[in-house]
């Protein structure tokens, strides 16, 4: 991946980190040496409160959250998860399942990525707290998710995989009650 194209970067100025965003060379990858100083900076807003920060193996600052993204196959063909995918710009109008019915970002507890990693998105897969590359919290009780309408919801581990999959698509045509 050439150039920084991360969901975290555009919001930095709006959460009090405008100076940090100015230190990032957008023409280089997030882990390029020219971006190292910026990417080692801890951004508290990208961490779960009261959970100690651990840098990744490259020494870059990590995040306790990942975007919901990717593609899968549903009853009507290809479905798109969340709002993150490679080389695609998603608009509100692309979220045909409704913003309040679409998972955007979720809590993660394992295999923490650098906050600037443009590949920081995951699929729901097997449910919550069941896979190291899935979603879940440190307590192993569930996970918080940011919905497309800006609300935050907690889903316990016993939330059915079917419900999580329906909520993770942006255009699957499902209704979750």
């Amino acid at each position: 991946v050439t150039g920084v194209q991360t969901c975290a970067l555009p919001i930095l100025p709006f959460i009090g980190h405008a100076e940090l965003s100015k230190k990032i060379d957008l023409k280089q990858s997030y882990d390029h040496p020219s971006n190292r100083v910026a990417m080692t900076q801890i951004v508290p807003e990208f961490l779960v409160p009261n959970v100690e920060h651990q840098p990744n193996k490259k020494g870059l600052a990590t995040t306790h959250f990942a975007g919901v993204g990717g593609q899968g196959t549903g009853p009507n063909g290809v479905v798109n998860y969340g709002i993150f995918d490679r080389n695609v710009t998603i608009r509100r109008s692309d979220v045909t399942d409704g913003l309040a019915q679409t998972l955007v970002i979720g809590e993660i507890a394992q295999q923490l990525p650098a906050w600037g990693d443009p590949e920081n998105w995951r699929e729901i897969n097997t449910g919550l707290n069941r896979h190291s590359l899935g979603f879940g919290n440190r307590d192993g009780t569930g996970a918080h998710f940011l919905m497309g309408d800006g609300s935050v919801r907690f889903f316990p581990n016993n939330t059915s995989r079917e419900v999580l999959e329906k909520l993770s698509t942006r255009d699957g045509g499902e209704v979750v009650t």
Side-chain angles (χ1 to χ4, degrees):
V1 176
T2 303
V4 177
Q5 302 169 21
T6 174
C7 64
L9 184 59
I11 67 169
L12 286 172
F14 300 102
I15 60 172
H17 298 283
E19 290 303 312
L20 176 60
S21 70
K22 292 176 185 175
K23 295 178 183 178
I24 299 169
D25 181 353
L26 299 175
K27 294 179 182 167
Q28 300 297 331
S29 66
Y30 78 99
D31 57 353
H32 186 272
S34 65
N35 287 323
R36 181 157 183 77
V37 171
M39 294 299 167
T40 58
Q41 299 299 303
I42 295 171
V43 179
E45 293 82 358
F46 297 156
L47 301 172
V48 172
N50 302 318
V51 175
E52 184 179 342
H53 173 262
Q54 295 292 322
N56 70 8
K57 292 178 183 177
K58 294 180 180 180
L60 303 178
T62 57
T63 179
H64 296 143
F65 301 97
V68 179
Q71 291 184 331
T73 304
N76 301 321
V78 174
V79 293
N80 298 290
Y81 300 119
I83 63 166
F84 299 99
D85 207 343
R86 289 178 184 89
N87 303 315
V88 176
T89 299
I90 306 301
R91 293 174 177 74
R92 286 178 183 245
S93 60
D94 297 323
V95 185
T96 57
D97 289 352
L99 295 172
Q101 294 288 312
T102 304
L103 302 172
V104 175
I105 296 173
E107 189 174 4
I108 59 174
Q110 298 180 43
Q111 299 202 25
L112 303 176
W115 64 259
D117 185 346
E119 298 288 320
N120 180 20
W121 46 270
R122 302 172 180 201
E123 296 176 17
I124 290 295
N125 293 327
T126 58
L128 303 176
N129 289 299
R130 294 196 173 108
H131 190 276
S132 65
L133 282 174
F135 292 93
N137 62 9
R138 290 268 181 194
D139 298 334
T141 58
H144 287 90
F145 283 89
L146 172 69
M147 308 302 288
D149 66 352
S151 64
V152 175
R153 294 174 58 189
F154 178 79
F155 294 94
N157 283 343
N158 64 358
T159 304
S160 76
R161 180 178 175 191
E162 178 185 25
V163 167
L164 291 170
E165 285 179 350
K166 286 179 179 181
L167 289 170
S168 72
T169 65
R170 67 176 176 261
D171 58 1
E174 317 91 347
V175 175
V176 180
T177 55

